[in-house]
Amino acid sequence: MTPVTVEDLVAHYGLEPIPREGGLFRSTWAGPPRPDGRPEGTAIVALLTPSGFSALHRLPTDEIWHFYLGDPLELLLLAPDGTSSTARLGPDVLGGQHVQFTIPAGTWMGGRTLGAWSFFGCTMAPGFTYEGYEHGEAADLTARYPDRAGLILELCRP
């Protein structure tokens, strides 16, 4: 089997830049619309590289991240109650990495690859809409979570 490259994934999936958040993605599914206009659910595939991290953001619904290929990725999670944690997604499930991880609604999240690239997916139900996306601001988040200031600054973009 030939090793997969970033270029292979971009071409095969037709990946495009994720507006504001960063990384590359492609929508793979959207369920039928609900009465409020949101889809019943959504799914994407996405790619992070060292220069294409997932900037801190939060969503109004739980989001499930699924690890597929490449190097592990690390998520910074800033909870509404002021606590914080990190989670690693990757293939080493016996070493504490996750192949699937749910981020609760209202949690600030940002991610970065721990190597050359990470290929993963995200699903939400009800589905993602840009109206529900809230972009993190470094000054606000470092004031609220000072113990994570260094990582917050790495995972914010204007």
Side-chain angles (χ1 to χ4, degrees):
M1 182 162 84
T2 305
V4 176
T5 67
V6 166
E7 295 78 16
D8 294 334
L9 291 168
V10 170
H12 181 78
Y13 287 99
L15 301 177
E16 298 183 352
I18 301 173
R20 217 151 173 223
E21 181 185 338
L24 299 171
F25 88 113
R26 178 171 162 234
S27 176
T28 57
W29 173 75
R34 297 163 19 116
D36 65 4
R38 288 180 75 178
E40 286 290 348
T42 53
I44 66 167
V45 291
L47 178 71
L48 297 180
T49 62
S51 63
F53 61 91
S54 171
L56 281 160
H57 64 286
R58 67 179 169 183
L59 300 167
T61 307
D62 292 356
E63 183 174 43
I64 304 165
W65 287 50
H66 314 262
F67 179 82
Y68 298 135
L69 295 170
D71 298 305
L73 67 90
E74 181 178 68
L75 293 171
L76 173 62
L77 307 169
L78 306 173
D81 68 1
T83 60
S84 65
S85 62
T86 56
R88 287 192 174 179
L89 279 73
D92 186 7
V93 295
L94 298 181
Q97 295 176 0
H98 304 271
V99 293
Q100 186 179 79
F101 190 84
T102 302
I103 299 165
T107 299
W108 290 102
M109 66 182 104
R112 62 185 179 169
T113 185
L114 296 175
W117 56 269
S118 303
F119 187 62
F120 62 99
C122 294
T123 55
M124 290 178 66
F128 176 84
T129 63
Y130 284 102
E131 294 76 33
Y133 174 90
E134 187 177 355
H135 194 73
E137 300 297 332
D140 296 339
L141 293 173
T142 55
R144 176 106 197 261
Y145 304 91
D147 60 319
R148 296 294 185 149
L151 196 47
I152 288 168
L153 293 171
E154 289 180 31
L155 292 173
C156 279
R157 81 171 35 90

